[in-house]
Amino acid sequence: MIDMTNVVDLVLEFLMQFDAKTLILAGSAIGAGLAMICGIGPGIGQGFAAGKGAEATGRNPKVMKDVISTMLLGAAVAETSGILALVVALILLFANPFVAMSASMWILSASAIACGLAMIAGIGPGIGQGFAAGKAAEGVGLRPELKGIVNRTMFLGQAVAQTTGIYALIIALILMYANPFVG
Amino acid sequence: MEGPKIYGYIYGFPITQTLVNMWIIFAIVFVLCYVLTKNMEKIPRKTQVIAEVMIDSMDNLVGQTMGKDKMGFAPYMLALIMFLAVANTSGLYGLRSPTADLNVTVGLALMTFFMTQGFGLKSKGIGGYLKSFLQPMPFLLPINIIGELANPVSLSFRLFGNMLGGLIIMSLLYSGLAGLIYLPLVIPIPFHFYFDIFAGLLQSFIFVMLSMVFVSMAMD
C-alpha cells in the first residue's frame, strides 16, 4: 500500500526540479489539447444535421437545394464553439500571455490548464445547435416554401444555445488577460 | 493579442481605437443613407430601390416578429442593424471591429435592456409590470429577476465573444503569414468570408432579432 501523501510529495518534488517557464509551457500544452476536446460537440451536431438533411433529400429530391442551404447554414453556426475552442488553443500555442506574467508558476500553469478545461463546455452548444440545424433541415424538406421563417427560428434558437459556450470563452479570456489571481 | 489602442485623452477621457473606428463607421452609414435616399422620385432609380428594399424587409421582419402594433420600432431596428452590419464586417476594410470591444456591446445591450423594461412598464402599467415578475408562480420571483438581468449579459457577451474570436483568429493568421510573399493575399480570403461576412452579418441579425423578441415579449 503506497502512502498517498508520499506520492503527492514525490510528484511535487519531481515538478519542482523544473524552472517556472517550463511548467507554465507544459500547462499551456495540456490546456491547448484539452480545449480541443470541445470538437466532440460540433462533430456530433453537424453529423446529425447532415443525417437529417440526407433524410429530407431522400424523401423528396426536389427540395435538395433548399435543404442543403439550411443544413449548411445551421452547421456553420454549430461550428462556432469549435472555433472558439480553436481560438483559445491557438492563443495558448502562439501568443501565450502566461509566459510574460509574474506570479506563482502553479497559478499560471493551473490557469493555462483551466483555459482548456473551460472550453470543453462547447460540447453542449455544438450538439444542441447541430440538433436545431438537423430539425430545421427536416422542416424545410417537408415545407420548402417556409424556408425563411424556419431559418430565422433556427438562428434565433442557436444563438441562445450558444450562450454557455460564450460564457466559457469569457472565463478563458479572463484567465488569460485579466487573471484575478495574479498580482 | 492586445486590446484597442488609446490614441490620446480629451479632458481625461480616453480616445480609443474603438471610438475612432466607430466615428468612421458612423460616417460610412451616414454617407450610405444620404446616397441611397438622395433625389427620391415617384419612379425609383437604382439607389432608391435599394433603400426601399431595406426598409420594406425591415418592416416585414418587425411586423412578423413583434406584431403589427409595434411597427414604430422598425426605424430603430434598421438603424441598429445597419450600424452592426458595418461594424461587424469592418475587418474587411482593415479596421479593428468596435464590437470586439466589450464597452460597445454592453452599451448596445443596455439600450435593449432599458427599452425592454421601459416599454414593458409603459404598456402593462406599474401593477402589471410588477406582477409579470410573479408569473407563473410567486416563488419564482428571484429566478425571474435573475433571468431578466441575464439577458443583457448574454446579449452583449454573445456579440463580443463571436467578434473577438474572429479578430483573434484573423490576427494570428496574419502574423503567421507575415513574411511570406503571395500567400497572405490568397489564404485569408475564405477566413474573411467566414469570420467577417458570415459570422458578422449573422451576429448583427441575431442581436437585432433578440432585441425585437425581448422588447415585444415584455410588452405583450
Side-chain angles (χ1 to χ4, degrees), chain A residues 156, chain B residues 65-67 70 73 116 119-120 123-124 132 148 151 209-220:
Chain A
L156 203 60
Chain B
T65 318
M66 303 182 76
K70 303 186 192 64
F73 288 103
T116 311
F119 283 105
S123 84
K124 284 180 188 163
S132 71
E148 206 60 44
N151 280 345
M209 277 294 279
L210 285 174
S211 298
M212 288 197 276
V213 171
F214 287 156
V215 174
S216 68
M217 263 168 48
M219 288 176 76
D220 295 329

Side-chain angles (χ1 to χ4, degrees), chain A residues 97-98 101 107-108 110-116 118 169-182:
Chain A
F98 293 112
M101 284 186 205
I107 291 178
L108 292 182
S111 298
I113 298 176
C115 288
L169 177 73
I170 300 303
I171 291 303
L173 289 175
I174 287 178
L175 283 170
M176 284 193 279
Y177 294 110
N179 199 319
F181 305 128
V182 172

Side-chain angles (χ1 to χ4, degrees), chain B residues 3-94:
Chain B
K5 293 185 208 69
I6 294 177
Y7 292 130
Y9 292 87
I10 296 180
Y11 298 113
F13 186 79
I15 305 300
T16 59
Q17 200 177 7
T18 305
L19 201 57
V20 175
N21 288 356
M22 271 171 69
W23 291 337
I24 299 173
I25 287 160
F26 292 156
I28 294 174
V29 174
F30 266 120
V31 169
L32 203 64
C33 290
Y34 179 73
V35 169
L36 290 183
T37 58
K38 199 175 60 173
N39 298 334
M40 289 208 282
E41 283 161 26
K42 187 105 184 168
I43 297 159
R45 285 172 306 132
K46 270 180 201 158
T47 52
Q48 193 183 334
V49 169
I50 298 173
E52 283 183 5
V53 165
M54 279 162 66
I55 290 169
D56 253 6
S57 39
M58 199 42 159
D59 278 353
N60 266 331
L61 197 62
V62 171
Q64 280 178 5
T65 318
M66 303 182 76
K68 291 281 175 214
D69 54 325
K70 303 186 192 64
M71 292 303 284
F73 288 103
Y76 171 73
M77 295 301 170
L78 185 59
L80 191 61
I81 204 170
M82 277 180 80
F83 168 71
L84 282 175
V86 179
N88 289 352
T89 52
S90 58
L92 284 181
Y93 24 93

Side-chain angles (χ1 to χ4, degrees), chain B residues 147-180:
Chain B
E148 206 60 44
L149 293 177
N151 280 345
V153 176
S154 64
L155 198 60
S156 56
F157 276 115
R158 179 176 304 115
L159 184 55
F160 167 70
N162 276 292
M163 289 300 111
L164 188 71
L167 186 76
I168 290 173
I169 290 241
M170 290 315 292
S171 60
L172 284 173
L173 182 70
Y174 274 109
S175 67
L177 291 173
L180 303 174

Side-chain angles (χ1 to χ4, degrees), chain A residues 72-73 76-77 79-80 83-84 86-87 90-91 94-95 149 152-153 155-156 158-163 166-167 169-170 173 177, chain B residues 1-2 60-61 64-65 150 153-154 157-162 164-166 168-169 172 194-195 198 202-203 205-206 209-210 213:
Chain A
L72 284 181
L73 284 174
V77 180
E79 188 63 47
T80 317
I83 289 169
L84 298 182
L86 187 66
V87 167
L90 285 177
I91 293 177
F94 295 112
I149 18 177
R152 214 183 298 152
T153 314
F155 282 140
L156 203 60
Q158 284 181 324
V160 179
Q162 183 67 56
T163 312
I166 297 285
Y167 291 163
L169 177 73
I170 300 303
L173 289 175
Y177 294 110
Chain B
M1 186 57 225
E2 67 249 11
N60 266 331
L61 197 62
Q64 280 178 5
T65 318
V153 176
S154 64
F157 276 115
R158 179 176 304 115
L159 184 55
F160 167 70
N162 276 292
L164 188 71
I168 290 173
I169 290 241
L172 284 173
Y194 182 84
F195 290 109
F198 179 74
L202 182 68
Q203 290 305 323
F205 173 72
I206 282 172
M209 277 294 279
L210 285 174
V213 171

